[in-house]
Amino acid sequence: MRAMADGAAQPSGSPAPGASGAARRAELDRLLDLAVCDTGAHAGAVFLLAPDGQALRLEVITGMPAEYLAPWLGVGLASRDPVAVAVRERRLLWLSEHQELARRYPRTAIALPYHFAVAAAPILSGTTAWGTLLLFWPCCDTAELAGPGPERVGLACRRLGRFLRDAAEAGRPVTPGTLPRTLSRPPTREWDPAEALAAADFAERLPEGNCSLDLEGRITYLSATAADLLGGSIRDLLGKHPWQALPWSTDPAFEDRFRAAVVSRQPVSFTAMIPPNRWLAFELYPDAFGVSTRISPTDPDHTSSAVPAGTRTPRGEPIPLGQLYQVLHLAATLSEAAGVGDVVDLVADEMLPAFHARTLALFSVEDGMLRLIGCRGYNPQPLELFDGATLTSPAAVGTFAAGVPNFFATFEEMVRAYPLAPRQDGLHAWAYLPLITSGRPVGLCVVAFDQPHPFSGNQRTILTALAGLVAQALDRARLYDTAQELAQTLQAAMLPDSLADLPGLDTAARYLPGVRGMEIGGDFYDLVRVDDTTAAAVIGDVQGHNATAAALMGRARPAMRTHAATGATPAQALELANRQLVDLDPGRFISCLYAKLDLARCRAVLATAGHPPPILRHPDGHAEVLHVPPGLLLGIDPDADYPTTEIPLEPGTVLALYTDGLIETPGVDLEDAMAGLATQLARTPLQPMDQLATHLIDHARQTAPRTDDIALLLLRLVPAR
């Protein structure tokens, strides 16, 4: 496989960017295989940005089943998982020890608690991010000491980035599918029938039992000795997972040992007791194609790494190990949820795959009624029974009266409880989980299945516990959203309702808060009409990103309006504002750019107090970053001077004033970032200022995650008709 992949580094038959979807995905798969082989990794995965640019989704994985990364099937770009951090911060993450993973990313370590080394690297082309490449190595030393080094990982990411960029530019972007794909590697050699029979005979002659499992844990070969030791038959066990086919191995510890071998790619050994009192030793040897297992009787005195076994099979369906880890992951994830939308997304993304459910709906209690706040999955029909229902309706009373969930394994069971329940196409089992915190009902979670589903006692317990976690998260989220609404109202009150209207001037402005948890900040802008042909444009940034910064902005902007209305020059306006701020002594500084526009003479006079320089787009389309001699930030020195610069403003010229949140990108020099904004402004076709402002903001958000507030003010002199 390595030779084939290395030889394909510069393929002559690679699909064109505009090729069919199947061909593009085949090329993506080839590049992932090449990345794994080039870096010496034993497994790898590609996550792609969702079309909205706010989440990453697992698209394809090789070397282990996709279900092992179930907690990462969908990752919000703002989350603290390595796959999101790599893209958000535009840097390679090396995690060579599981302890380091647990310390830096505890949520991820809970969901994948094995020993391995991992690298998460952003897939970039220029400054545009397309997704994340995730690579696994067998042990903690391999990645740093014997691994290929960051340059090989970077090369793999650049290959992927170029391919994804070219496909997007050809109008055929590669977007994440509904479900992730797992690649299967072809065998390293072909076995003729005689060799295969000889290998089977060899295994049968050995005194111990031998079996082979694929990477998903299904038995693909079983010797007669192994079947006898396990207490089953070859016919009944082939193609099955042993922890599902053997009654004594339903404890999650058995599957956990197997997963540890696959993920860490290291041999694993353990002993287990087979009822009534027989001990077996298991040795697991993994590779890229599966796990070979040796089974032999052992002395009960050598049971230091034993896993438990029992004679009773749990009632109903046992909880798979993957569900247990996903439950832990959901519990950790909900602690980071902010708004109600976050809770809906996290619960749906985690619970649907964890329980193999088909539909999930969340309701909140508002004014004594249940209101739908989110639904995911195949069929949203479970809404009919509850959406808009009052807490005194029969359905709600039955669900909330005792405060415990209702489980219906079949539609017939539901009809017995709710005779008027409508039949729901494609759905056959339901769990209704009341969300109650501090004795108050705050919502309802409905989980529906596309097959009859006998809920085991363990599964009912887990769903009930999860309902409590979701209830607490939803209650916190509603408080968060209330605070957000209040903050947004306050922000709107502090910024101008509209920009001044002057003949011959086309204008637009945008403001976006950048701090999660507080939709308010200290950036501000204004356009003040002085007379029919004169205006003052102001943009500024108060140090900090909280209510204190916003309050100071609320004092600075009106002061600037006053200075403009009195006809002050840019230098005078900044000097007055500076002295006022020094006298106020708020412990914060303000950057500010002040431009006085003379529309009659087509001129502008500029002065800056430590603010990023404006960008000028000339009528012929080229754009430049203006050089404006910088003065000190406002609030430092009461005697500071603010030099001015006069520039021509020909009709058709666009003047862009902005705060640093629009351009700052991790790892990118500030001057390069300003030049990049000028290039983007030059490339954009001339259009109304509102459309241009939207385009620039959208481009900035897609290019890199923004953590700072953004303010943008665009001014264009309209040519005389």
Side-chain angles (χ1 to χ4, degrees):
M1 184 67 181
R2 179 184 299 274
M4 181 190 74
D6 287 347
Q10 298 295 333
S12 59
S14 296
S20 68
R24 296 196 306 278
R25 294 193 187 283
E27 176 65 4
L28 181 67
D29 298 348
R30 186 192 71 80
L31 291 175
L32 173 59
D33 266 334
L34 180 58
V36 169
C37 292
D38 258 6
T39 59
H42 70 259
V46 170
F47 292 77
L48 296 179
L49 273 172
D52 64 3
Q54 299 304 305
L56 289 153
R57 296 200 174 275
L58 177 60
E59 167 60 19
V60 60
I61 184 171
T62 184
M64 70 175 71
E67 67 174 287
Y68 286 17
L69 298 186
W72 296 345
L73 295 185
V75 178
L77 198 58
S79 76
R80 299 178 185 175
D81 289 300
V83 292
V85 173
V87 171
R88 194 167 63 246
E89 298 183 3
R90 297 297 199 275
R91 65 185 179 94
L92 170 66
L93 301 180
W94 287 90
L95 301 166
S96 59
E97 296 180 357
H98 193 263
Q99 288 184 350
E100 182 183 9
L101 180 70
R103 184 180 69 253
R104 295 172 58 184
Y105 306 102
R107 196 172 75 185
T108 301
I110 285 173
L112 210 62
Y114 307 113
H115 291 282
F116 56 86
V118 65
I123 300 173
L124 306 172
S125 62
T127 58
T128 300
W130 301 97
T132 303
L133 174 64
L134 195 67
L135 297 168
F136 293 83
W137 285 269
C139 66
C140 60
D141 293 330
T142 301
E144 288 198 338
L145 300 182
E151 65 279 357
R152 285 288 186 92
V153 178
L155 176 60
C157 287
R158 287 193 294 274
R159 287 195 199 106
L160 286 161
R162 285 194 297 268
F163 164 68
L164 294 168
R165 177 202 62 198
D166 292 345
E169 289 180 351
R172 298 288 187 89
V174 181
T175 55
T178 304
L179 295 174
R181 297 175 294 109
T182 300
L183 302 183
S184 58
R185 293 189 177 183
T188 52
R189 58 172 292 192
E190 294 293 333
W191 296 81
D192 64 40
E195 285 181 300
L197 287 173
D201 288 341
F202 167 80
E204 293 290 348
R205 286 191 291 268
L206 295 174
E208 67 271 4
N210 296 277
C211 73
S212 179
L213 299 91
D214 63 19
L215 291 178
E216 295 185 355
R218 290 182 292 263
I219 297 174
T220 56
Y221 168 77
L222 188 69
S223 69
T225 303
D228 183 61
L229 289 171
L230 294 174
S233 68
I234 294 176
R235 175 182 296 179
D236 292 338
L237 292 177
L238 276 179
K240 305 288 182 59
H241 297 89
W243 45 87
Q244 294 176 346
L246 296 167
W248 52 265
S249 67
T250 54
D251 190 286
F254 286 93
E255 184 183 356
D256 190 48
R257 297 294 198 276
F258 175 82
R259 288 193 177 208
V262 172
V263 175
S264 68
R265 203 54 61 85
Q266 295 291 299
V268 171
S269 61
F270 61 92
T271 59
M273 188 192 75
I274 313 303
N277 192 26
R278 184 161 53 93
W279 289 88
L280 296 178
F282 294 82
E283 299 171 60
L284 280 60
Y285 299 93
D287 71 0
F289 308 99
V291 177
S292 295
T293 304
R294 185 162 59 190
I295 309 167
S296 54
T298 189
D299 189 322
D301 293 333
H302 299 87
T303 58
S304 58
S305 59
V307 298
T311 57
R312 298 178 59 191
T313 302
R315 293 179 58 193
E317 176 187 340
I319 302 294
L321 184 68
Q323 288 188 14
L324 298 179
Y325 285 141
Q326 280 198 275
V327 167
L328 293 173
H329 188 264
L330 175 60
T333 300
L334 284 174
S335 67
E336 301 177 7
V340 169
D342 285 347
V343 173
V344 172
D345 291 341
L346 291 172
V347 171
D349 289 345
E350 298 287 340
M351 289 183 69
L352 284 176
F355 296 97
H356 302 290
R358 203 61 189 274
T359 298
L360 183 142
L362 271 179
F363 302 82
S364 68
V365 175
E366 299 175 13
D367 300 324
M369 301 180 71
L370 287 167
R371 296 294 186 191
L372 177 69
I373 55 176
C375 184
R376 300 285 190 280
Y378 164 70
N379 190 331
Q381 293 304 313
L383 323 181
E384 293 183 5
L385 194 61
F386 286 99
D387 191 24
T390 66
L391 295 185
T392 58
S393 66
V397 167
T399 301
F400 287 102
V404 296
N406 284 331
F407 299 96
F408 303 105
T410 64
F411 179 68
E412 288 70 26
E413 285 188 17
M414 176 180 279
V415 169
R416 285 196 291 270
Y418 303 111
L420 299 180
R423 178 170 289 279
Q424 299 159 14
D425 293 340
L427 299 179
H428 299 276
W430 298 263
Y432 291 99
L433 313 174
L435 307 179
I436 298 173
T437 181
S438 302
R440 298 179 295 106
V442 297
L444 173 71
C445 179
V446 180
V447 185
F449 300 80
D450 59 0
Q451 298 291 332
H453 188 86
F455 296 91
S456 68
N458 284 340
Q459 196 171 75
R460 293 176 185 234
T461 299
I462 288 177
L463 285 169
T464 301
L466 282 177
L469 295 173
V470 174
Q472 295 175 20
L474 183 60
D475 200 35
R476 290 194 307 269
R478 290 169 63 181
L479 292 174
Y480 172 90
D481 284 347
T482 300
Q484 292 291 82
E485 183 178 358
L486 178 62
Q488 290 170 359
T489 302
L490 177 60
Q491 185 77 66
M494 288 184 171
L495 292 172
D497 295 330
S498 61
L499 298 176
D501 185 15
L502 274 83
L505 192 63
D506 186 11
T507 63
R510 293 289 186 275
Y511 172 81
L512 279 83
V515 177
R516 184 175 179 84
M518 176 57 74
E519 294 290 327
I520 190 169
D523 289 14
F524 64 93
Y525 62 85
D526 209 344
L527 180 64
V528 182
R529 177 173 179 154
V530 179
D531 55 41
D532 289 346
T533 61
T534 309
V538 183
I539 195 162
D541 185 354
V542 179
Q543 181 187 29
H545 312 93
N546 52 29
T548 303
L552 186 56
M553 178 269 282
R555 303 183 71 168
R557 190 180 71 84
M560 286 294 184
R561 289 187 66 87
T562 300
H563 303 328
T566 59
T569 66
Q572 292 169 341
L574 292 179
E575 289 167 1
L576 289 169
N578 177 53
R579 285 195 289 271
Q580 290 171 343
L581 190 61
V582 170
D583 292 342
L584 186 62
D585 191 20
R588 294 173 183 268
F589 308 125
I590 299 177
S591 73
C592 185
L593 178 73
Y594 192 107
K596 191 165 186 179
L597 312 176
D598 186 340
L599 304 183
R601 297 176 54 238
C602 296
R603 311 289 290 178
V605 178
L606 312 174
T608 178
H611 198 81
I615 294 175
L616 196 68
R617 185 184 191 274
H618 296 274
D620 63 3
H622 84 277
E624 62 176 316
V625 179
L626 294 176
H627 175 68
V628 181
L632 283 176
L633 294 169
L634 303 179
I636 296 178
D637 179 2
D639 298 321
D641 293 325
Y642 297 94
T644 59
T645 299
E646 184 171 339
I647 62 169
L649 288 180
E650 301 176 59
T653 297
V654 176
L655 184 64
L657 313 182
Y658 55 93
T659 56
D660 53 11
L662 183 68
I663 58 171
E664 282 188 335
T665 301
V668 177
D669 180 79
L670 195 59
E671 290 190 3
D672 291 340
M674 290 187 293
L677 179 59
T679 300
Q680 185 62 31
L681 187 60
R683 288 176 177 172
T684 306
L686 193 59
Q687 53 194 288
M689 291 300 96
D690 265 332
Q691 295 179 22
L692 180 58
T694 299
H695 173 81
L696 293 176
I697 292 289
D698 288 347
H699 177 77
R701 297 175 71 181
Q702 293 167 7
T703 302
R706 302 294 166 177
T707 58
D708 199 358
D709 305 334
I710 295 175
L712 173 66
L713 178 59
L714 298 179
L715 310 164
R716 175 175 176 261
L717 267 68
V718 180
R721 296 181 179 178

